[in-house]
Amino acid sequence: MPVDIEHFRPKGEVAETPGHPGYWWLAGHWENLLPSCIDCNRRRYQPTPASLASVSGVLDHQRVRGFRAILTGKESCFPISGARMAAEPLPANLPASIAAESALLINPCSDDPEEHLRFYIDRQNPLGLVYPAPTLLPGQPRPAMPIALPALSDDVAAIERAAQHAGVSVRGAVSIQIFGLNRLALVQERTRILRRLDVLATLLVDVAGAADTLELLPLAAAADEPARQRSVAKLRAVTARLLSEIKAMAQPDEPFASMVSAWIRTFAAELI
């Protein structure tokens, strides 16, 4: 997949602060240079699902009305909730100045995306949506279902207010909309992966069940036992290959590995 080398803090201008010169002093900083897919980085209109409803409601809605175009892509966007640096700080003050900005975009090199994002995992209705993680108090259990998708808007303040009202991660909601993480092409590709996983899971369960049944099946003659054991071994080998293929899809260098890992956790829970 082609990528851009993107300045996390834009070097020449800041969309949210007209007249800002950009973070030119960070233009060559290694920590400020991130690989980005073209559609996440370049500003353009992308078909995106409507929101302010539960994901299950959106699922029904999208089957009828489809997606709406919204302006997404990071480009020179860098929304914050704190005090923006207007000029280059002293080197010793740079870490504190960066922290004081309270960036609203997730930096995958320094943040844990799972604290802010969740994937919609429903094996009966696979749909490759990502949604903001619920805002949890210490010790509070993680809800199994999403609360809401981000507000369908390119107005960061509106997204922030809607996320706070829904009780979900503001940074997750803003990142989804700015990066276009629910643009139609991504949703379709994630959904394709989810359907592939479900096919593999169905085969895995069926083959494992067939091996269990064959192993317990009464034999007409003791002489048939070696043949049965060979057949069972072959079925167990197929089960192992299917399981290995599913696990391979969750490796860090595979596309949508985080979503696959979330799917595996759901599938494993269903088997208990």
Side-chain angles (χ1 to χ4, degrees):
M1 177 185 294
V3 299
D4 288 336
I5 301 301
E6 166 61 6
H7 293 85
F8 186 59
R9 284 174 167 79
K11 67 181 186 299
E13 62 178 352
V14 179
E16 293 81 11
T17 308
H20 192 285
Y23 299 84
W24 53 266
W25 58 90
L26 296 175
H29 277 229
W30 182 253
E31 294 82 0
N32 196 49
L33 299 173
L34 303 179
S36 170
C37 78
I38 289 174
D39 284 324
C40 287
N41 186 33
R42 302 184 188 183
R43 202 83 173 140
R44 61 185 72 175
Y45 282 91
Q46 298 279 4
T48 306
S51 58
L52 296 179
S54 67
V55 170
S56 57
V58 170
L59 175 62
D60 294 335
H61 174 80
Q62 298 313 322
R63 285 171 173 161
V64 176
R65 295 192 170 185
F67 287 44
R68 286 172 48 195
I70 182 174
L71 190 62
T72 68
K74 181 184 175 297
E75 210 163 85
S76 62
C77 297
F78 195 73
I80 63 174
S81 61
R84 191 181 299 281
M85 288 181 278
E88 181 180 10
L90 293 173
N93 296 335
L94 181 59
S97 298
I98 287 176
E101 286 195 322
S102 297
L104 292 177
L105 294 180
I106 298 169
N107 182 341
C109 292
S110 58
D111 300 316
D112 180 0
E114 288 196 4
E115 293 182 2
H116 305 282
L117 302 174
R118 298 282 186 273
F119 289 98
Y120 180 74
I121 306 296
D122 181 349
R123 295 190 58 216
Q124 301 304 314
N125 294 291
L127 184 67
L129 288 172
V130 62
Y131 59 90
T135 302
L136 303 180
L137 298 174
Q140 183 179 355
R142 177 189 298 182
M145 291 297 292
I147 296 175
L149 289 173
L152 186 64
S153 172
D154 53 14
D155 181 345
V156 172
I159 298 170
E160 189 172 0
R161 288 193 300 271
Q164 290 170 342
H165 178 74
V168 298
S169 168
V170 170
R171 293 181 68 195
V174 173
S175 295
I176 288 169
Q177 296 298 72
I178 294 293
F179 294 132
L181 299 183
N182 276 334
R183 59 184 181 271
L184 181 58
L186 266 183
V187 171
Q188 289 174 328
E189 185 61 16
R190 291 195 202 107
T191 303
R192 184 186 69 80
I193 295 294
L194 290 172
R195 287 174 176 163
R196 180 186 173 194
L197 285 166
D198 281 333
V199 169
L200 292 172
T202 299
L203 289 172
L204 176 64
V205 171
D206 288 349
V207 173
D212 292 341
T213 300
L214 181 58
E215 202 164 36
L216 298 175
L217 196 67
L219 296 176
D224 295 331
E225 181 63 26
R228 176 168 69 175
Q229 290 304 317
R230 287 194 296 271
S231 296
V232 169
K234 289 179 180 179
L235 291 173
R236 299 290 186 208
V238 171
T239 300
R241 287 198 296 271
L242 290 168
L243 187 59
S244 294
E245 185 169 351
I246 291 172
K247 289 181 177 179
M249 294 170 66
Q251 293 303 303
D253 58 346
E254 290 296 316
F256 311 115
S258 293
M259 181 189 71
V260 174
S261 295
W263 181 94
I264 289 174
R265 289 193 294 269
T266 300
F267 176 58
E270 291 175 357
L271 295 179
I272 297 175

